[in-house]
Amino acid sequence: MANGTRKDSPFELWAEGEGIPVVRGYAVEDLLAVPVETWKRKEGKGAIIILQGGQGFNAAYVCEIPPAATLTPQRHLFEEQIYVLKGKGETEFWSDGGRRQSAAWQRGSVMATPLNVWHQHRNTGSEPARYVAVINAPIVFNVFRNPDFVFNTAFSFTDRYNGEADYFDPEGKRDEEIGVGTDRPVWKVSLIPDAYASNLGETPMGTGMSIVQLNLARNSMAGHIAELEVGTYKKAHRHNPGAHIVWLSGRGYTFLWNEQGERMRIDWKPGSLISPPENCYHQHFNTSPEPARHVALRRGLPHVGRRYKPWLDVKQGGDQIEYEDEELDVRAIYEEELRKAGLQCRMPAVARK
Ligand SMILES: [Fe+2]
């Protein structure tokens, strides 16, 4: 049994005891349509999402905040990275004895609450607001096995947040370092007000893909925003577990070669969530007449264990399959999908050896 399907881990026992739905699988078709129920811990509504690709590192949840409602203040010893699916609101942040700051958000915002800092979300709109959060709670629960410790420990990680007035400045520290395996900068921010509007740069990475890397709230988790141009698809690749991809725009499908080596097709649209398990190749295809953008909320580079190189040809020791090496029917299926949609294929011709 794969790690992601264990239901007796301390994290999963906690999740099952929260009194809200627990959603499982490789993907969620529509995060906006996931049924949510009253979540006493937050005084909002929620559902926990434990996907196959989380594998004891990351999980997710959706939370819905009723119009004009304010959730219960929370702090916790796991990291949390949020993408706002609909609505608008604001979040107050504070450390024990510290000054309160607030950050406004809306549909399309990406945000992280600093580790163990108090935070309180408020819906400032007239419609329900809904966000998805990707959390590394499984690691923390499975080590400490005590929810009271996870949610009620008074410790300030001042190396992460020390009341800095510009902490939630969306324009701050965007070019602090260059990401591994790419010449792209890492945006070291805590809030991206609108991931739909983020400029991902002029030069695609590979065919049709533009990407910026994210390091939110000085987390050990990481992320990126990426976009596939019309008529293009990404090379198949594999990497460490825990990545959760939320589609913002466009439509398409993903091939996922699962733990048994079976090729699964997962169709996606705005609001879909996919989490590929470790070592499982996956490949994203845009079949819509508009660019397809996603936000990935995921682990950072592991300090131990296998270090994948999903940007490097597998023939050179990496974890990416070049177009000329992919399965014979991959290109043909994509071209047929585009033909059905009345779109031109913009992929370069491949010369098979
Ligand atoms: Fe990936």
Side-chain angles (χ1 to χ4, degrees):
M1 181 177 282
N3 292 338
T5 60
R6 279 190 64 140
K7 293 183 182 161
D8 59 350
S9 72
F11 172 73
E12 304 223 7
L13 291 172
W14 170 80
E16 295 286 354
E18 284 294 281
I20 56 174
V22 178
V23 177
R24 296 173 188 274
Y26 286 97
V28 175
E29 184 184 358
D30 188 356
L31 290 166
L32 288 155
V34 169
V36 288
E37 291 178 15
T38 298
W39 196 351
K40 197 161 162 279
R41 180 181 300 282
K42 290 184 181 290
E43 294 181 12
K45 294 179 174 180
I48 294 172
I49 300 170
I50 303 175
L51 296 186
Q52 197 76 4
Q55 293 179 296
F57 291 96
N58 291 344
Y61 69 84
V62 289
C63 182
E64 189 162 294
I65 312 171
T70 301
L71 300 185
T72 308
Q74 306 263 289
R75 67 175 168 190
H76 40 72
L77 290 171
F78 54 84
E79 295 175 356
E80 176 170 79
Q81 306 196 143
I82 286 171
Y83 172 70
V84 180
L85 294 157
K86 69 172 179 179
K88 63 178 184 177
E90 63 180 18
T91 300
E92 277 199 325
F93 302 82
W94 68 96
S95 302
D96 283 331
R99 190 170 63 89
R100 291 187 179 222
Q101 297 201 61
S102 69
W105 44 261
Q106 59 178 348
R107 173 180 174 267
S109 295
V110 179
M111 181 173 63
T113 55
L115 183 65
N116 210 36
V117 162
W118 288 106
H119 51 277
Q120 185 168 30
H121 303 305
R122 177 177 302 119
N123 182 348
T124 57
S126 54
E127 303 292 327
R130 182 180 280 222
Y131 68 84
V132 59
V134 179
I135 52 179
N136 63 7
I139 300 170
V140 178
F141 272 91
N142 293 343
V143 169
F144 295 107
R145 298 180 290 181
N146 187 317
D148 193 37
F149 177 70
V150 173
F151 288 101
N152 294 309
T153 293
F155 181 83
S156 295
F157 292 85
T158 53
D159 51 332
R160 306 252 189 146
Y161 176 64
N162 201 16
E164 295 94 330
D166 63 350
Y167 199 82
F168 300 102
D169 176 1
E171 297 300 327
K173 297 175 182 167
R174 283 201 166 187
D175 301 313
E176 204 157 272
E177 66 182 47
I178 300 298
V180 175
T182 168
D183 56 358
R184 300 312 165 97
V186 179
W187 290 359
K188 293 202 157 192
V189 295
S190 300
L191 171 70
I192 295 167
D194 184 0
Y196 287 93
S198 294
N199 182 352
L200 306 185
E202 301 297 322
T203 313
M205 186 174 83
T207 300
M209 173 72 91
S210 300
I211 186 168
V212 295
Q213 314 270 357
L214 306 178
N215 181 221
L216 302 162
R218 298 174 183 154
N219 279 342
S220 59
M221 291 175 75
H224 65 247
I225 306 171
E227 185 170 286
L228 265 177
E229 291 176 11
V230 176
T232 67
Y233 66 87
K234 174 102 175 69
K235 292 173 185 173
H237 62 282
R238 62 182 177 179
H239 44 66
N240 56 8
H244 286 64
I245 295 163
V246 186
W247 290 95
L248 275 57
S249 60
R251 285 174 184 264
Y253 62 95
T254 292
F255 279 153
L256 171 66
W257 286 263
N258 69 14
E259 298 92 332
Q260 289 75 42
E262 299 156 354
R263 188 172 77 191
M264 304 168 60
R265 173 175 164 151
I266 300 168
D267 291 312
W268 45 259
K269 59 185 181 182
S272 296
L273 176 71
I274 299 174
S275 183
E278 179 174 33
N279 216 27
C280 293
Y281 280 102
H282 51 281
Q283 189 164 20
H284 308 304
F285 300 81
N286 182 3
T287 59
S288 64
E290 59 173 335
R293 181 170 286 213
H294 72 249
V295 171
L297 302 173
R298 54 179 171 79
R299 294 173 69 202
L301 283 176
H303 296 291
V304 293
R306 177 168 181 153
R307 186 163 290 187
Y308 291 89
K309 296 185 176 71
W311 58 86
L312 185 66
D313 185 349
V314 68
K315 298 193 295 297
Q316 296 171 23
D319 296 283
Q320 178 164 260
I321 297 173
E322 299 301 305
Y323 294 123
E324 62 267 29
D325 298 323
E326 64 195 13
E327 289 180 7
L328 282 172
D329 61 348
V330 166
R331 178 66 63 97
I333 292 169
Y334 183 60
E335 289 174 344
E336 174 61 13
E337 290 292 332
L338 289 183
R339 194 191 59 73
K340 284 194 280 188
L343 298 170
Q344 289 283 329
C345 184
R346 295 186 49 238
M347 299 300 297
V350 290
R352 289 187 174 273
K353 299 177 184 76

